[in-house]
Amino acid sequence: MMFHCVRSLPNIISATRLLGSPLLLVIEQSYVKWFFSLLALSDALDGFLARSLKAQSNLGKVLDPLADKVMMFFAFLVCVFKLRVLPEYLFYMLLMRDVFILMGSVYLFKRKGVLPSPSPWGKLTTFTLSLTIVVHLFGYESQILVFLSLLFTLYSWTDYFIRGLHILRYKKDYPY
């Protein structure tokens, strides 16, 4: 029983991030930077635990990226429209990419029975976006990080599109 609970820990962390992310909209402004930093660290922690405990699961394949997308959505809502520390175009680009990925993933699963796994480019994009948000929340400006976030968002969007075509053609996930 204890081993099962430990192996479920990555999914519990992802679920907590998923459910906690909307709180970014309502917590006091001075705590947003710390709360988001905690959420971003939980993303790294659940992935590390899943690999080290050999606790990867189909639930985790869905829950972790979904929690990442929800976390980014709420963080960008706060950073762009409430605090005005990041540009709107980055929010809209990320939103379009994530809607594309979610719709594409549902389509691929229904059509081919394949659940695409997160790509290294998607993970790098999430890391870069998180770093960009943290840096700006702590009062620093970095146009280089904004540019890299935009670049990785566009590149990962292209990568997911190519992987989707691969799954449609070969009925299996793209090997990395």
Side-chain angles (χ1 to χ4, degrees):
M1 178 69 173
M2 178 66 167
F3 182 68
H4 180 69
C5 290
V6 170
R7 287 181 48 87
S8 300
L9 191 56
N11 289 340
I12 292 168
I13 293 169
S14 293
T16 302
R17 185 170 65 259
L18 176 69
L19 297 174
S21 293
L23 295 175
L24 287 165
L25 292 175
V26 296
I27 61 174
E28 187 178 322
Q29 189 171 326
S30 62
Y31 295 123
V32 168
K33 59 187 167 193
W34 300 107
F35 189 69
F36 178 77
S37 296
L38 184 65
L39 291 173
L41 286 173
S42 78
D43 181 30
L45 180 62
D46 67 12
F48 170 77
L49 288 174
R51 286 185 299 280
S52 63
L53 297 172
K54 295 181 180 20
Q56 291 103 335
S57 67
N58 284 335
L59 176 60
K61 276 186 177 181
V62 173
L63 194 56
D64 179 55
L66 180 61
D68 291 348
K69 286 168 184 24
V70 169
M71 175 184 73
M72 287 299 159
F73 175 77
F74 285 106
F76 267 95
L77 279 179
V78 170
C79 288
V80 170
F81 299 107
K82 192 173 181 181
L83 303 177
R84 304 213 179 271
V85 296
L86 288 173
E88 285 184 32
Y89 65 83
L90 190 55
F91 169 76
Y92 291 120
M93 190 62 64
L94 182 65
L95 182 62
M96 289 187 304
R97 181 200 81 138
D98 286 351
V99 167
F100 172 84
I101 290 170
L102 288 171
M103 290 174 51
S105 294
V106 169
Y107 177 79
L108 290 171
F109 185 73
K110 286 186 170 213
R111 181 97 189 257
K112 298 295 181 175
V114 176
L115 187 62
S117 57
S119 81
W121 288 106
K123 291 177 184 183
L124 180 61
T125 301
T126 300
F127 172 79
T128 305
L129 289 166
S130 294
L131 182 61
T132 302
I133 290 168
V134 168
V135 164
H136 285 82
L137 284 175
F138 277 89
Y140 301 98
E141 284 191 35
S142 173
Q143 292 307 310
I144 292 171
L145 282 175
V146 170
F147 174 75
L148 288 174
S149 292
L150 181 62
L151 182 69
F152 289 145
T153 298
L154 291 170
Y155 191 86
S156 65
W157 190 350
T158 304
D159 180 58
Y160 279 112
F161 179 75
I162 291 167
R163 291 177 63 219
L165 292 176
H166 179 86
I167 290 170
L168 284 173
R169 184 171 183 185
Y170 298 109
K171 296 184 184 179
K172 63 180 179 178
D173 201 359
Y174 192 80
Y176 278 103

